[in-house]
Amino acid sequence: VVFFLHGMGASAQIGVNVLGPQYHARADRDKAIVVYPDATSKHWNDKLGGSYPLTDKIDDVGYLTSLIDLFVRDFKADPKRVYFSGSSNGGMMTYRLSCDIPDKIRAIAPFVSTISPQVAEQFTSAKPIPIIITSGTADSIIKWEGGQVKVTRTPRLFSGDENIAYWKTRNGVKSNAKITILPDIEPGDQSTVEVHHYKGKNDVILYKIINGGHTHPTLREKGKPLVSGKNMDYNSFETVWDFLLSYR
């Protein structure tokens, strides 16, 4: 089962519209189920050191746990192959789930998001979980250099480098990264992609989008215009899907 958690202000339907063309054919091929939950008030209670009054008392961990249990019980999903991905606030919620219910999740794939120092300090010895992270160095919302997120009153999030350091420690990865530069097949997008692969029993992979914004990299469709801040050198959804399902 692959769960995708939408960002703040978005919805499950937006997830279906954006990911459906990418994921549903693969789900048929791989005999997988894709689930797009809706958050209360269009915001997940990620609890990453901040506050959002509309959802601060919503038990989203309980809600998503019950969905996992439902698909395992009623749809015969494999409880050892439950995966979570999410964008922005949905990515933050993915981080939270990896701390609160790590025994129920096999691997995670957060987009344009990072973790807070408060959570990192609380969960230094949390169970390792394979992770693939997609982050842009020019993201104006979840900044690569870290810092405050005003809308959720989060005093500080980790920088991109601090986030990777946390996951290397948590996953027990000792090796240096193997860095690969993807071909710049769409130079007009004014961004490039570095892949940092920290290999271990529980891999840590970073797709670092140089000059990338708060967006999901996808290949440019024929006849479609370039989008400001959006990398178009690879299909991030396909990459994430293959990474998640490689863990059994």
Side-chain angles (χ1 to χ4, degrees):
V1 182
V2 179
F3 287 84
F4 182 80
L5 307 182
H6 63 75
M8 185 177 76
S11 66
Q13 187 59 55
I14 290 175
V16 172
N17 295 345
V18 174
L19 273 73
Q22 310 287 336
Y23 278 2
H24 296 172
R26 291 179 177 84
D28 290 340
R29 178 194 69 191
D30 297 331
K31 296 180 172 56
I33 301 169
V34 187
V35 183
Y36 305 91
D38 250 330
T40 300
S41 299
K42 298 186 177 183
H43 181 271
W44 298 103
N45 183 10
D46 55 39
K47 283 295 185 187
L48 292 185
S51 173
Y52 193 81
L54 288 175
T55 55
D56 277 352
K57 295 182 180 179
I58 301 298
D59 182 13
D60 279 327
V61 173
Y63 164 48
L64 294 168
T65 299
S66 70
L67 284 180
I68 294 172
D69 293 341
L70 181 147
F71 281 96
V72 169
R73 181 185 67 246
D74 295 350
F75 293 85
K76 310 305 178 187
D78 185 346
K80 295 180 180 179
R81 300 193 69 193
V82 175
Y83 313 101
F84 271 85
S85 182
S87 177
S88 193
N89 169 235
M92 306 293 198
M93 191 66 204
T94 298
Y95 283 122
R96 180 180 181 184
L97 294 172
S98 80
C99 294
D100 283 354
I101 55 169
D103 291 332
K104 286 185 170 287
I105 301 172
R106 186 66 186 93
I108 62 173
F111 285 90
V112 292
S113 55
T114 185
I115 204 165
S116 72
Q118 296 93 323
V119 172
E121 290 170 6
Q122 184 179 354
F123 292 97
T124 53
S125 58
K127 179 182 175 181
I129 291 182
I131 182 171
I132 182 169
I133 298 165
T134 306
S135 290
T137 63
D139 191 329
S140 61
I141 298 173
I142 308 298
K143 296 180 180 178
W144 176 260
E145 61 269 25
Q148 185 182 23
V149 181
K150 294 181 180 179
V151 69
T152 54
R153 306 178 189 178
T154 303
R156 189 171 87 84
L157 291 176
F158 268 170
S159 69
D161 290 331
E162 289 172 320
N163 194 37
I164 291 296
Y166 165 78
W167 281 99
K168 283 184 64 182
T169 299
R170 176 169 166 177
N171 284 5
V173 176
K174 305 296 184 183
S175 62
N176 293 325
K178 177 183 178 182
I179 301 177
T180 304
I181 310 298
L182 296 189
D184 187 15
I185 65 173
E186 190 60 71
D189 64 14
Q190 299 183 335
S191 63
T192 55
V193 182
E194 294 181 2
V195 183
H196 297 229
H197 189 168
Y198 301 87
K199 195 165 182 59
K201 185 177 180 182
N202 296 281
D203 285 5
V204 177
I205 300 179
L206 166 67
Y207 274 72
K208 185 177 182 179
I209 316 303
I210 308 302
N211 205 36
H214 198 70
T215 59
H216 306 155
T218 56
L219 294 172
R220 185 181 182 185
E221 295 181 43
K222 187 175 181 179
K224 295 289 187 179
L226 293 168
V227 178
S228 178
K230 186 181 185 72
N231 178 270
M232 293 185 170
D233 293 329
Y234 81 109
N235 186 328
S236 60
F237 300 117
E238 179 180 305
T239 299
V240 159
W241 181 275
D242 291 343
F243 172 84
L244 292 175
L245 269 70
S246 71
Y247 285 90
R248 298 173 179 267

